[in-house]
């Protein structure tokens, strides 16, 4: 009797998937507007042998989910950078190497903070750069006040956004 219920449950699940446009692998099928329209949602499918009421949400046992869309890490910035050369007497620009930390193309703003001797406050310059997934590029960042370039002693990267 239990085997019969398991087979019936499996048939019901397959019929539900067929009618809603989902395959048994848990991924959305493109079927002319039927089924789920959100590309970021994940769908659970039951792999247990319990009784079924015709739906898969809330089923006990293990489940599979479709792979999520890559996105930036929630704990840090979308890229990191290092100063290759600082602004100084020869140039009012800093050279910076920027590396994407995400799996998608994204435009980031890289600020460079320069500290000049004898000048109150820091100088800020920034550049926006579009990076492909995990790409590294070298860019130049102009100082906000180029007249103070000869007095610059240190450069550091600000918070990348």
């Amino acid at each position: 009797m239990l085997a019969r219920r398991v087979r019936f449950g499996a048939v019901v699940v397959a019929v539900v998937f067929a009618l809603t446009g989902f395959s048994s692998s848990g991924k959305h099928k493109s079927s002319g507007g039927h089924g789920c329209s959100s590309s970021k949602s994940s769908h659970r499918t039951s792999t247990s042998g319990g009784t079924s009421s015709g739906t898969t949400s809330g089923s006990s046992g293990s489940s599979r989910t479709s792979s999520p869309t890559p996105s930036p890490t929630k704990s840090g910035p979308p890229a990191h950078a290092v100063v290759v050369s600082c602004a100084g007497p020869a140039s009012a620009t800093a050279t910076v190497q920027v590396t994407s930390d995400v799996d998608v193309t994204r435009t980031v703003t890289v600020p460079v903070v320069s500290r000049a001797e004898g000048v109150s406050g820091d100088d800020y310059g920034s550049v926006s750069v579009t990076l492909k997934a995990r790409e590294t590029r070298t860019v130049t960042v102009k100082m906000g006040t180029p007249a103070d370039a000869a007095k610059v002693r240190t450069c550091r990267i600000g918070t990348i956004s």
Side-chain angles (χ1 to χ4, degrees), residues 2 21 24 31 35 61 70 78 84 89 95-96 99 105-106 122 127 129-130 134 136 141 143:
L2 180 60
S24 62
S31 57
V84 176
T95 304
V96 177
T99 301
T105 299
R106 179 148 180 201
D122 292 329
V127 65
V129 60
T130 301
R134 307 291 175 180
T136 298
V141 181
M143 288 183 63

Side-chain angles (χ1 to χ4, degrees), residues 2-99:
L2 180 60
R4 190 177 199 180
R5 282 187 173 184
V6 170
R7 280 184 287 181
F8 177 74
V11 169
V12 169
V13 169
V15 169
V16 169
F17 284 149
L19 293 174
T20 59
F22 291 93
S23 68
S24 62
S25 67
K27 295 185 180 181
H28 180 268
K29 284 186 187 176
S30 176
S31 57
H34 295 96
C36 182
S37 62
S38 173
S39 63
K40 291 187 178 184
S41 65
S42 63
H43 307 284
R44 292 176 19 149
T45 58
S46 174
T47 57
S48 68
T51 60
S52 175
S53 63
T55 63
T56 59
S57 63
S59 298
S60 62
S62 63
S63 65
R64 284 184 282 177
T65 58
S66 60
S67 58
T69 303
S71 62
T73 59
K74 291 178 174 51
S75 62
H80 66 276
V82 293
V83 176
V84 176
S85 66
C86 192
S91 176
T93 61
T95 304
V96 177
Q97 186 177 46
V98 186
T99 301

Side-chain angles (χ1 to χ4, degrees), residues 79-158:
H80 66 276
V82 293
V83 176
V84 176
S85 66
C86 192
S91 176
T93 61
T95 304
V96 177
Q97 186 177 46
V98 186
T99 301
S100 169
D101 292 331
V102 295
D103 293 329
V104 295
T105 299
R106 179 148 180 201
T107 301
V108 295
T109 300
V110 181
V112 174
V113 181
S114 302
R115 169 112 2 191
E117 188 176 299
V119 177
S120 65
D122 292 329
D123 184 86
Y124 296 91
S126 66
V127 65
S128 290
V129 60
T130 301
L131 298 169
K132 295 178 183 174
R134 307 291 175 180
E135 177 183 22
T136 298
R137 289 186 49 198
T138 302
V139 295
T140 57
V141 181
K142 293 181 183 179
M143 288 183 63
T145 310
D148 292 337
K151 300 175 188 175
V152 171
R153 296 295 174 245
T154 61
C155 294
R156 67 177 173 81
I157 304 296

